Amino acid sequence: MHQDTRPFLGSVRRFLPSGRIHDDEFFSTLLAIDARPFAAHPFAVLDVETTDELRSLLAAAMRHGVSLTFRGSGTSVCGQCVAEDVLVRFTGPAWRGINVLDGGGRVSAGCLARGGEINERLAPHGRFITSDPASIAAASIGGMTANNSAGLSCTIDTNIYHMLDSLRFMLADGTLVDTSDSGSVSAFKASHAALLGSLTSIRERILAAPELADTIRRKFSIRSTSGYSLNAFTDFSDPLDILTHLLVGSEGTLACILGVTLRTSPLKPFRGTTLVSFHSLEYAMTALAELTDVCPLHAGEFIDDMTLRWLSIIDGFPEGFAPTGEISDDCALLIETRSQTKEELETSIAALRNVLGRYTLKADNGFTTDPAECEKIWNIRRALYPASAGLRGPAEYTFTEDYCVPVDNLPEACHAFIRILHETGFEGSGVSGHAMHGNLHCLIPMDLSDPSVVARLGEFIERSVQTVLRLGGSLKAEHGTGRAVAAFLRREWGDELYGIMQEIKSILDPAGILNRGCLLNDDPLCHVHGLKNITPIGSAADICVDCGFCESVCPSARQGLSPRQRIYALRIIAGMAARGETDRAAHWKQEFGKMAVDLCAADGLCTTRCPLGIDVAARIRLMRQDALSAGQKRAADF
């Protein structure tokens, strides 16, 4: 239960209009959902349009001890935005601007600009941002920066941390800093000399203890978003540089990221993509090593046998790759190379084909150089998380893990995870990931409301953690820390470095008002507490995993509910009905009618972005039809 919220909300009403304060359970619940398996129950969702409003909100939170969780597009899957008290959304045009700088060499964007939109603006300049999560078309750049998102082809040295040029952020005390503005920097260094001095002191302590510095460098030699970006202390000497790079990957627990300027990379216009299938993971990994030796690869994705079964339900899945019979050690590699000229591409493809020709492949669809056909292959891979819904039950949800190990240890890690999945009763789950980076994902369809299943999930996670740490890996590679691995940070980093993370939090957020419970959490079981309880609604919508890909094209999402919010609302209403909560369900149904049924554009655009083709608009049209009286139906027929 939340504390008495009236004093805080009374303060907020002095500077926010009532239309941007959502404290009814219906709205606060639905506006807070994202792709994570954790249920959020904030007592309010607040929309801010200006930095003055944000500063006033931070002051009110400080006075009343209220935790604020900042929200982007809600595509994260690991519990970065499980708001304990208040969820903050950024609305209006102030946060969406995109400015292309230096002929595309840099790009500056407000926190709500979507990654896909930024790349569209950069495309005429032949440039792109190198962070490329599967959700890039829907994900906001503020959230991508807060998570230090990597993605399918992003290398360690081209992630947001390394491509950062400048940052615009607001600290918990309301101080606005823009590191691209010399005046802002000078004022901040003068007003916060003590804070910056504390960061310098931490750096000196780390460098004076070689074992700590070596641990940090080793941990960040592979993909890692586990905990704070402690490599900022070994990579930079200027305390402001340390601070800005600490904020990358901090998940809104240290400051609020309002805008970011990134260096970009050349967009190589010619690409060749293929999907090939091997009879064993070892053969695939050996082949990939040889492929990377003969030419630069843009990406090398591996997909195990079970995951291929999931993806085979996607429209356009290539023939010959759908597994049959019993589960095997077969796997597929999605390989792509890019070049500046057509001739360079032809040379690279020839070299890659020569390597693949030395292996007995189970299936091979050949290289395609048609950009549209390349995108079809990639869209299948990008749909992996939502596609996992296709083989789960209507009351199940997909829990995902995101680990990284040194590339040489990847086959051992994959086999270990598959064995652990089988031994813990999740034999229907698969393993896939970014083979070039040693980054793997486990997707587990499960009933989050069944305590025995959750207990088995806890066993799987515990054994997986032991495996990753034994193999010198990181517990989060690219999805951010969130609630998913917060309980294991001390074990991964050791007491001293974990203590430094706690010290960083106390320096930048002494009152603990920023995203409380995220990243640092004292609950040893926070990764299996507070999970979603899904009630089936008896339709194709049961396979929705709340990914949010639909929201970017929904015409009514900003005025009413988005497609995923409509589905989630129907699930909650069904749960209320099953429990006999008549009055509560009646209120939700009334609000649903106004915000979901009446305001739906019913054009089906959401279907074009949903990887599973869920047609929410069709369901809404049926609900409108069912609501008509007999007389209205006769008139319509006439």
Side-chain angles (χ1 to χ4, degrees):
M1 295 294 291
H2 297 292
Q3 59 187 3
D4 184 359
T5 62
R6 290 171 297 180
F8 170 76
L9 291 175
S11 296
V12 170
R13 289 189 173 94
R14 297 190 184 101
F15 57 87
L16 280 186
S18 59
R20 290 195 270 125
I21 301 173
H22 313 286
D23 57 342
D24 180 276
E25 180 199 28
F26 176 85
F27 293 100
S28 63
T29 300
L30 296 180
L31 298 180
I33 70 165
D34 65 12
R36 64 180 181 262
F38 304 95
H41 302 286
F43 67 77
V45 175
L46 307 178
D47 296 338
V48 297
E49 293 187 350
T50 68
T51 54
D52 286 340
E53 289 175 350
L54 178 59
R55 186 178 290 109
S56 297
L57 180 56
L58 287 164
M62 194 85 72
R63 286 195 303 272
H64 299 285
V66 169
S67 173
L68 303 178
T69 297
F70 306 116
R71 164 72 176 272
S73 297
T75 58
S76 55
V77 296
C78 294
Q80 296 93 322
C81 295
V82 187
E84 291 205 344
D85 290 341
V86 171
L87 188 79
V88 181
R89 302 193 306 171
F90 297 91
T91 58
W95 319 107
R96 296 182 179 274
I98 302 173
N99 293 312
V100 177
L101 309 171
D102 304 334
R106 294 181 300 140
V107 63
S108 178
C111 59
L112 270 197
R114 301 180 192 274
E117 295 171 339
I118 296 172
N119 279 336
E120 287 175 5
R121 292 286 299 275
L122 287 169
H125 303 274
R127 312 286 294 190
F128 74 109
I129 57 172
T130 47
S131 172
D132 65 336
S135 59
I136 190 169
S140 67
I141 193 64
M144 291 166 62
T145 304
N147 287 338
N148 194 20
S149 298
L152 305 177
S153 62
C154 180
T155 60
I156 295 171
D157 58 349
T158 60
N159 63 19
I160 289 180
Y161 173 97
H162 286 99
M163 301 300 282
L164 182 68
D165 183 76
S166 67
L167 201 63
R168 187 168 181 260
F169 59 92
M170 185 174 287
L171 294 176
D173 64 6
T175 301
L176 179 64
V177 184
D178 184 349
T179 64
S180 68
D181 182 338
S182 59
S184 175
V185 169
S186 297
F188 178 63
K189 286 185 175 180
S191 64
H192 287 68
L195 183 152
L196 296 173
S198 297
L199 297 180
T200 298
S201 176
I202 293 175
R203 168 180 160 80
E204 291 170 349
R205 281 162 33 208
I206 289 174
L207 296 183
E211 69 281 2
L212 297 183
D214 289 347
T215 296
I216 291 171
R217 294 188 181 101
R218 175 180 58 80
K219 294 286 290 179
F220 286 101
S221 66
I222 62 174
R223 282 187 172 187
S224 176
T225 58
S226 182
Y228 291 127
S229 300
L230 295 183
N231 48 335
F233 292 106
T234 57
D235 291 345
F236 301 97
S237 57
D238 186 301
L240 184 55
D241 286 334
I242 293 172
L243 173 58
T244 55
H245 287 82
L246 276 174
L247 297 186
V248 177
S250 65
E251 301 172 15
T253 63
L254 302 179
C256 179
I257 295 173
L258 302 179
V260 59
T261 301
L262 298 173
R263 293 182 292 276
T264 67
S265 285
L267 183 63
K268 296 179 179 179
F270 297 94
R271 59 197 293 203
T273 311
T274 188
L275 191 67
V276 291
S277 180
F278 293 81
H279 290 284
S280 79
L281 182 62
E282 280 78 7
Y283 285 146
M285 293 300 104
T286 302
L288 184 64
E290 293 185 29
L291 292 169
T292 57
D293 286 340
V294 298
C295 79
L297 290 186
H298 178 73
E301 299 288 300
F302 81 91
I303 309 168
D304 82 340
D305 183 86
M306 178 54 71
T307 308
L308 285 169
R309 293 169 191 263
W310 292 353
L311 291 174
S312 65
I313 69 172
I314 300 295
D315 289 341
F317 188 83
E319 293 184 9
F321 285 82
T324 58
E326 296 183 355
I327 302 297
S328 69
D329 194 36
D330 296 349
C331 71
L333 287 180
L334 190 163
I335 301 162
E336 179 164 299
T337 184
R338 295 186 178 185
S339 301
Q340 289 289 355
T341 67
K342 184 177 181 180
E343 292 73 22
E344 288 178 3
L345 180 64
E346 290 174 349
T347 299
S348 294
I349 290 176
L352 296 173
R353 281 177 172 157
N354 183 53
V355 171
L356 292 173
R358 297 199 291 268
Y359 288 84
T360 301
L361 300 176
K362 182 179 178 183
D364 178 5
N365 72 337
F367 276 90
T368 179
T369 58
D370 180 347
E373 293 301 315
C374 293
E375 280 301 297
K376 286 182 181 179
I377 297 175
W378 275 109
N379 284 337
I380 292 172
R381 170 60 184 85
R382 292 180 184 122
L384 196 158
Y385 180 71
S388 66
L391 295 179
R392 64 178 173 84
E396 292 183 332
Y397 197 83
T398 299
F399 195 96
T400 182
E401 283 298 348
D402 163 45
Y403 301 119
C404 189
V405 297
V407 175
D408 291 344
N409 293 336
L410 187 60
E412 182 180 353
C414 289
H415 286 305
F417 284 124
I418 292 171
R419 183 179 66 254
I420 296 169
L421 285 167
H422 281 237
E423 292 174 356
T424 51
F426 297 116
E427 56 275 356
S429 303
V431 179
S432 63
H434 317 305
M436 289 172 55
H437 313 294
N439 184 184
L440 54 89
H441 304 300
C442 300
L443 298 170
I444 308 174
M446 57 174 290
D447 185 348
L448 299 176
S449 64
D450 186 333
S452 64
V453 176
V454 174
R456 287 193 285 114
L457 173 66
E459 181 185 352
F460 164 77
I461 293 174
E462 172 59 33
R463 292 177 60 182
S464 297
V465 166
Q466 294 174 11
T467 299
V468 171
L469 297 184
R470 175 176 60 81
L471 295 175
S474 57
L475 297 180
K476 276 296 171 194
E478 57 173 347
H479 289 174
T481 306
R483 297 283 175 96
V485 299
F488 302 99
L489 283 186
R490 184 185 294 274
R491 194 189 308 183
E492 178 175 359
W493 287 95
D495 290 339
E496 194 161 0
L497 289 174
Y498 183 75
I500 286 176
M501 292 186 191
Q502 292 175 310
E503 186 177 352
I504 293 166
K505 173 69 171 175
S506 66
I507 290 170
L508 290 165
D509 181 23
I513 64 168
L514 300 182
N515 206 1
R516 186 181 299 145
C518 179
L519 200 144
L520 301 178
N521 195 310
D522 293 331
D523 179 1
L525 295 175
C526 63
H527 54 294
V528 291
H529 283 169
L531 302 177
K532 288 176 178 175
N533 189 336
I534 296 175
T535 302
I537 54 177
S539 73
D542 280 334
I543 63 176
C544 175
V545 292
D546 309 327
C547 71
F549 288 12
C550 55
E551 290 188 343
S552 63
V553 295
C554 176
S556 55
R558 296 185 188 179
Q559 289 74 37
L561 298 183
S562 69
R564 67 167 167 181
Q565 290 166 349
R566 294 174 201 147
I567 293 173
Y568 198 68
L570 290 172
R571 288 169 165 170
I572 293 178
I573 292 170
M576 292 175 183
R579 295 188 298 271
E581 299 173 2
T582 307
D583 293 342
R584 190 171 168 221
H587 170 68
W588 274 64
K589 287 179 181 178
Q590 182 181 24
E591 294 296 338
F592 185 86
K594 293 185 294 185
M595 302 304 296
V597 179
D598 294 348
L599 289 180
C600 179
D603 55 8
L605 279 176
C606 51
T607 311
T608 66
R609 289 296 177 90
C610 176
L612 295 171
I614 301 173
D615 192 349
V616 181
R619 185 182 181 100
I620 296 297
R621 289 195 293 269
L622 287 174
M623 295 179 74
R624 288 175 176 173
Q625 177 181 319
D626 292 342
L628 295 175
S629 66
Q632 289 172 318
K633 290 179 180 178
R634 285 195 298 271
D637 287 340
F638 176 79

